[in-house]
Amino acid sequence: MGMGAGMILGGIDLVALAAMLMVASTPILLAATGELIAEKAGVLNLGVEGMMIMGAIGGFAGAVLSGSPEVGFVTGAISGALMALLFGFLTQVLLSNQVATGLALTLFGLGLSALIGKGFEGVRPPATGKIDLGALADLPVLGPILFRHDWVVYFSIALVVAVWLFLHLSRSGLILRAVGENHEAAHALGYRVVAVRLGALAFGGAAAGLGGAYLSLVRVPQWTEGMTAGAGWIALAIVVFGSWRAERVLLGAYLFGGVTVLQLRLQAAGYAIPVQLLSMAPYVITIVALVIISARHRHGAQAAPAALGRIFHASR
Amino acid sequence: MNRRSFLTTTAITATVLSLGLGGAALAQEPLKVAFMYVGPVGDMGWSFQHDQGRQAVDAAYGGRVATSYVENVPEGPDAERVLTQMALAGNKLIFATSFGYMDAVMNVAAKFPDVRFEHATGYKRADNVSTYDARFYEGRAVIGTIAGRMTKTNKIGYIGSFPIPEVVQGINSAFIHARKVNPAVEMKVVWAYTWFDPAKEADAAAALIAEGVDVLMQHTDSTAPQAKAQEAGIYTFGQASDMGAFAPTPRISSIIDNWGPYYVARVGAMLDGSWASTGSWEGIGAGAVGIGEISSAVPAEVKAEAETLAAAIGAGTYHPFTGPLNKQDGTPWLAAGEVADDGALSGLNFFVEGISAQMPQ
């Protein structure tokens, strides 16, 4: 990766590895952060995979047609948000079943993205530039790890911080949580449950779309049918195992991305560790770590928003 | 792969596409033929190439045949369910196009003796189950030669999918022929444990590039490694499909799977009633394996050397696994001049001497 002499340990450049970790984790982190807000508002949207893949093609098409990756990330986020609003219309206005609708959203997204993507196979997207952080980028060790990334990596971390602050310190965050815990009480207090949930869904969809666009514009970078290949489901799992807390979602996403990259690097460096163990390590380590944290804090079982997945009808 | 099964389970019922409606006008029912793919038809690699073969069947027989396919079927219990559904839907000939479908094919074939099955790259057969494969290792010998000549760091990277004979043959063949033209060559191997996951394939490519690899080969199905190689300015080869969008660099040549002639012949055998269980394993000579155009990035003498090798393999005058060859642990495998027989190759589970990567056990 041309980052000069980093810290070499056992033949692996740890600095380059840590830098790759941040890139590999970003799509899942974005999608999981978005889903966290939707679930905190009491909506279970299983369509993350579908929103991500629509973000991947929407972002790719936007970037290629406009020549600007920034425009691509915006169109990617919009594509994801539109998918989420479709889900919101069906589940919040027409009161359809959330689980079935979410699964349908994923199938719809995979199909529609394949159709839109036909003309974009084999096309190279405009490069997403790294942010120039001047002297910071030249710091030993920390420079290459932390300060030589594109803006989306920083944006994703800022988003986690913003979501944490929003949920814990803001009045609107409190309202959102109230809607997710007990929508009838929130409704009785005069809060507009459906509007709050549509907003949360749109945010979740935009974040998932951004994650998908990061996949097609930076991490791979190209459009391939079905290219999310299950990343949306990993994001969903991380929200649950992270017991609906922003900081644990960050930890889970970085653990998963980190161990994925690490095990591939260990293989490439020729370590004599059984490959099967390495291959399942990202799943096992992430789940075990998050379950242990949740168990120690005794919030795990009760952490799910009480109204998660339940249908709200104002006339009741 | 398991993480996709949830999604795909539900997808299966929804995505059985039925093409070839032209037969409706005929008095006779068209012969129904189904294909099961491990990735999406738009992967631009393995599954794309099989679907080209399906389309060749449509073109050859028109209304006499109705083909359909299901894509993104994981190797595992879902495969059995999809095959059962295909058989119940009246398909008389079913092509299962990935190695990991093997036991599912055998199980379902036992329940439907009147339905004929064809399993790609496997080795289990029955009265109503044929196997078919292509000698990809012949193509690997050719691109291994080019790789050995083109590398400057003397490190060649290889993204493996699963440690199965088909993939192990390819790694060995590429290494043997790279070493032959460049004794300093090393081969670095990463197992992705997936046939199709562009993000993971890209990460695997990045890991190999970080190890100093400057020529990359893949035995996974997407073009993601091509894109990563383009960024890094190293060389690659198209896999399964030509991947010509990445020529002249990073893709400097390719191995092309050409399933059309086999599919057309087998469907023809169904139509005239001559279908019988066989094991087909064709290579460069029969046109089942093609070498894509060697791009302008490759010097003329290297190109000529590769083409001479491909011609010799195609004519049957040279076999890529010709002794003397030792196993990785140094024990003898093939004596000087001895050629590996097909039985040994179809069960190949060890690396040859000189490869330092570990074989997953």
Side-chain angles (χ1 to χ4, degrees):
Chain A
M1 308 226 92
M3 294 192 177
M7 290 170 64
I8 312 281
L9 185 73
I12 291 182
D13 185 337
L14 291 180
V15 170
L17 181 73
M20 275 167 70
L21 176 164
M22 296 185 73
V23 172
S25 307
T26 297
I28 292 173
L29 177 62
L30 282 165
T33 307
E35 178 68 10
L36 172 69
I37 286 291
E39 293 196 10
K40 272 290 186 187
V43 196
L44 181 64
N45 185 354
L46 295 182
V48 181
E49 180 86 359
M51 301 189 299
M52 271 187 101
I53 194 86
M54 281 302 290
I57 186 57
F60 193 87
V64 167
L65 296 178
S66 71
S68 152
E70 286 74 26
V71 171
F73 283 109
V74 172
T75 54
I78 292 174
S79 308
L82 286 176
M83 289 287 284
L85 286 174
L86 173 64
F87 174 87
F89 175 71
L90 293 171
T91 60
Q92 304 306 310
V93 179
L94 302 183
L95 306 183
S96 69
N97 178 288
Q98 292 181 11
V99 170
T101 311
L103 293 173
L105 192 72
T106 287
L107 297 177
F108 175 60
L110 287 169
L112 184 61
S113 64
L115 180 68
I116 298 171
K118 276 296 167 214
F120 291 97
E121 281 161 356
V123 176
R124 196 180 178 192
T128 306
K130 311 267 188 247
I131 287 190
D132 185 6
L133 291 169
L136 281 177
D138 297 329
L139 287 175
V141 184
L142 286 182
I145 295 180
L146 295 177
F147 301 118
R148 292 188 194 172
H149 292 289
D150 51 78
W151 65 269
V152 188
V153 169
Y154 302 116
F155 179 81
S156 67
I157 296 169
L159 197 66
V160 175
V161 176
V163 160
W164 190 92
L165 292 172
F166 170 77
L167 287 175
H168 289 86
L169 298 179
S170 80
R171 183 179 160 75
S172 37
L174 209 56
I175 295 171
L176 181 116
R177 283 161 58 196
V179 166
E181 293 296 337
N182 188 334
H183 46 218
E184 266 129 27
H187 176 65
L189 287 172
Y191 296 120
R192 298 174 59 191
V193 172
V194 171
V196 168
R197 286 185 170 168
L198 286 176
L201 279 170
F203 174 82
L210 205 56
Y214 193 74
L215 211 53
S216 63
L217 290 177
V218 179
R219 188 160 164 220
V220 174
Q222 64 178 218
W223 164 252
T224 306
E225 221 180 290
M227 69 182 299
T228 43
W233 299 107
I234 300 288
L236 269 168
I238 284 176
V239 173
V240 175
F241 286 112
S243 47
W244 293 269
R245 296 171 76 105
E247 70 279 11
R248 292 185 197 166
V249 165
L250 175 71
L251 176 74
Y254 270 57
L255 256 183
F256 186 82
V259 181
T260 302
V261 171
L262 175 66
Q263 68 97 356
L264 292 169
R265 288 288 279 116
L266 287 173
Q267 283 195 48
Y271 272 77
I273 304 171
V275 178
Q276 293 90 339
L277 286 184
L278 288 175
S279 193
M280 68 182 182
Y283 305 92
V284 175
I285 292 177
T286 306
I287 290 174
V288 168
L290 291 176
V291 165
I292 288 175
I293 292 172
S294 299
R296 282 188 51 189
H297 289 77
R298 297 186 181 282
H299 293 308
Q302 300 93 39
L308 184 61
R310 282 172 48 205
I311 288 178
F312 171 72
H313 195 297
S315 66
R316 258 181 73 188
Chain B
M1 206 157 288
N2 287 333
R3 60 198 157 117
R4 273 219 316 253
S5 58
F6 186 36
L7 151 71
T8 313
T9 310
T10 47
I12 284 152
T13 45
T15 56
V16 183
L17 297 177
S18 212
L19 301 174
L21 298 169
L26 296 173
Q28 204 184 355
E29 284 270 302
L31 173 73
K32 291 180 79 174
V33 181
F35 293 75
M36 184 163 79
Y37 305 138
V38 71
V41 292
D43 68 359
M44 304 315 284
W46 178 261
S47 295
F48 173 81
Q49 229 33 47
H50 280 285
D51 200 57
Q52 294 292 304
R54 181 188 65 80
Q55 291 175 29
V57 170
D58 279 343
Y61 300 109
R64 296 173 65 199
V65 172
T67 66
S68 64
Y69 67 87
V70 179
E71 56 187 340
N72 282 324
V73 180
E75 298 174 334
D78 279 340
E80 205 161 319
R81 190 155 48 238
V82 173
L83 287 169
T84 304
Q85 230 159 33
M86 286 173 161
L88 289 173
N91 288 290
K92 292 297 168 212
L93 180 62
I94 297 174
F95 292 92
T97 68
S98 193
F99 177 81
Y101 296 152
M102 183 155 61
D103 292 332
V105 169
M106 297 310 290
N107 292 345
V108 177
K111 285 182 219 155
F112 295 93
D114 296 340
V115 178
R116 271 52 179 264
F117 293 83
E118 300 252 358
H119 179 225
T121 73
Y123 53 80
K124 292 185 184 169
R125 284 190 282 276
D127 285 346
N128 61 336
V129 180
S130 282
T131 58
Y132 62 104
D133 200 350
R135 297 179 187 270
F136 308 116
Y137 67 84
E138 296 186 350
R140 297 279 174 199
V142 178
I143 67 170
T145 302
I146 300 173
R149 292 285 187 203
M150 295 299 284
T151 178
K152 299 211 166 45
T153 61
N154 292 327
K155 289 179 185 165
I156 297 174
Y158 206 112
I159 303 172
S161 45
F162 297 91
I164 58 172
E166 169 199 343
V167 179
V168 176
Q169 291 157 15
I171 295 173
N172 282 327
S173 177
F175 175 77
I176 290 166
H177 294 86
R179 257 288 156 97
K180 206 167 258 181
V181 297
N182 179 352
V185 150
E186 267 186 82
M187 181 87 86
K188 305 236 174 229
V189 181
V190 167
W191 297 99
Y193 277 88
T194 178
W195 287 111
F196 177 84
D197 182 343
K200 196 166 187 187
E201 292 170 54
D203 287 347
L208 286 163
I209 291 163
E211 279 293 315
V213 154
D214 68 347
V215 181
L216 187 62
M217 299 184 192
Q218 63 179 101
H219 205 132
T220 50
D221 299 349
S222 92
T223 52
Q226 309 281 331
K228 269 297 182 233
Q230 192 160 38
E231 274 186 347
I234 67 165
Y235 296 130
T236 58
F237 299 91
Q239 161 65 11
S241 189
D242 190 45
M243 300 187 180
F246 292 90
T249 59
R251 172 224 164 275
I252 51 177
S253 185
S254 61
I255 299 179
I256 302 171
D257 308 346
N258 183 18
W259 303 108
Y262 181 78
Y263 287 163
V264 169
R266 298 304 280 171
V267 172
M270 282 295 286
L271 289 171
D272 65 22
S274 66
W275 193 97
S277 174
T278 59
S280 162
W281 200 10
E282 300 291 356
I284 290 178
V289 175
I291 302 297
E293 199 213 349
I294 300 172
S295 87
S296 55
V298 179
E301 66 272 19
V302 175
K303 183 176 176 181
E305 184 181 28
E307 284 170 347
T308 306
L309 180 66
I313 294 171
T317 56
Y318 173 74
H319 191 292
F321 291 102
T322 303
L325 283 174
N326 290 342
K327 297 181 181 179
Q328 190 175 29
D329 60 11
T331 55
W333 177 32
L334 299 172
E338 192 188 348
V339 166
D341 63 62
D342 283 357
L345 284 181
S346 60
L348 197 66
N349 61 354
F350 56 84
F351 284 143
V352 295
E353 192 174 38
I355 297 180
S356 56
Q358 297 277 326
M359 170 67 70
Q361 293 303 332

